[in-house]
Amino acid sequence: EINHTWFRLKYNSVMKKLLILLFSLLISFNSLGVELDRLFGISLYENAGNYVSSNYIDSNKIKHRETHGDYFNVDFSEVIPEKSPYFSFYRVTINNNKIHSIYGAYEFDNLSRCQDVQKSLLSDLKIKYQIETQYSEISYPEFKIYTDVYITDSNNYFALQCKETYPSTTYDLQMFLDSSDLDGAIRKFYDSGL
């Protein structure tokens, strides 16, 4: 009977250790991709001065059209740390030199080609970052977007989308990661006057 008691105690101890190990592994697997906070070698919330000089920022920044606040876009096409074969234009959005958006785009001649690349790239991103996105189509007076969206644990906004712009009818594949602050400022801009 002593052997059975010893065996039960040993078994319970081993099982507890295995459960703790399994729980730890599940947490680490679930955390992969949960906090997406970096694109093209740039991290959200970093100082843009970590990547370019203040002179570069001052001479290249323009007001962000979709906000009422002090957000500015800065062209990073020539200085982006990690270029992607899917994008040819890059920019960051800053507020007080803090990065609130990382953006890449590529122009296509038709919507079908843009969406084919979007679908293929999205499949790879879902595997790499272990994310699930929500798809929607949204129309505005000057453009329509076909977008796949993922909201991170910090409420940052990741999107991969095709944007159809009127009246010139251009089609841009766009991938971007916006801070929750910028996302709120953009929502406020589009909700103003309603």
Side-chain angles (χ1 to χ4, degrees):
E1 198 170 312
I2 294 174
N3 286 338
H4 292 289
T5 305
W6 176 84
F7 177 76
R8 261 188 266 138
L9 289 174
K10 192 69 168 166
Y11 176 79
N12 287 341
S13 174
V14 168
M15 289 307 291
K16 284 181 185 178
K17 288 178 183 175
L18 284 173
L19 286 173
I20 290 170
L21 177 63
L22 180 61
F23 183 70
S24 298
L25 286 172
L26 287 174
I27 288 173
S28 67
F29 285 138
N30 285 336
S31 67
L32 291 176
V34 170
E35 197 50 45
L36 179 60
D37 64 355
R38 184 175 181 83
L39 286 179
F40 313 122
I42 296 177
S43 295
L44 280 182
Y45 305 110
E46 277 193 293
N47 189 312
N50 293 347
Y51 301 97
V52 293
S53 70
S54 57
N55 287 339
Y56 182 91
I57 294 168
D58 291 340
S59 60
N60 287 287
K61 71 180 184 180
I62 55 173
K63 179 80 175 92
H64 190 291
R65 289 181 25 187
E66 297 174 299
T67 65
H68 294 298
D70 291 329
Y71 289 94
F72 295 90
N73 292 327
V74 181
D75 184 340
F76 262 48
S77 296
E78 298 301 318
V79 295
I80 197 77
E82 297 175 13
K83 290 191 178 195
S84 166
Y86 293 97
F87 304 100
S88 58
F89 173 79
Y90 303 89
R91 76 168 184 242
V92 299
T93 303
I94 60 171
N95 182 317
N96 294 323
N97 279 2
K98 187 190 244 186
I99 296 172
H100 284 271
S101 178
I102 307 150
Y103 171 93
Y106 186 90
E107 187 174 313
F108 286 88
D109 56 3
N110 68 59
L111 181 59
S112 170
R113 285 191 61 218
C114 184
Q115 289 180 312
D116 285 347
V117 174
Q118 176 186 8
K119 184 178 177 182
S120 175
L121 181 56
L122 183 63
S123 176
D124 292 342
L125 290 169
K126 284 182 174 184
I127 292 168
K128 180 177 181 178
Y129 294 109
Q130 297 185 7
I131 59 174
E132 285 302 319
T133 59
Q134 295 283 328
Y135 178 79
S136 60
E137 297 179 10
I138 306 168
S139 294
Y140 296 94
E142 295 178 1
F143 61 92
K144 180 175 182 178
I145 56 173
Y146 308 82
T147 187
D148 286 282
V149 173
Y150 172 72
I151 307 298
T152 71
D153 281 354
S154 299
N155 289 319
N156 298 323
Y157 184 93
F158 170 79
L160 178 64
Q161 63 190 28
C162 287
K163 179 181 178 183
E164 180 178 11
T165 304
Y166 317 120
S168 63
T169 317
T170 60
Y171 307 95
D172 292 323
L173 176 67
Q174 302 174 320
M175 185 166 74
F176 57 91
L177 180 62
D178 289 351
S179 71
S180 57
D181 293 336
L182 177 60
D183 181 48
I186 292 171
R187 288 176 192 273
K188 190 174 180 181
F189 174 81
Y190 281 101
D191 290 344
S192 63
L194 296 179

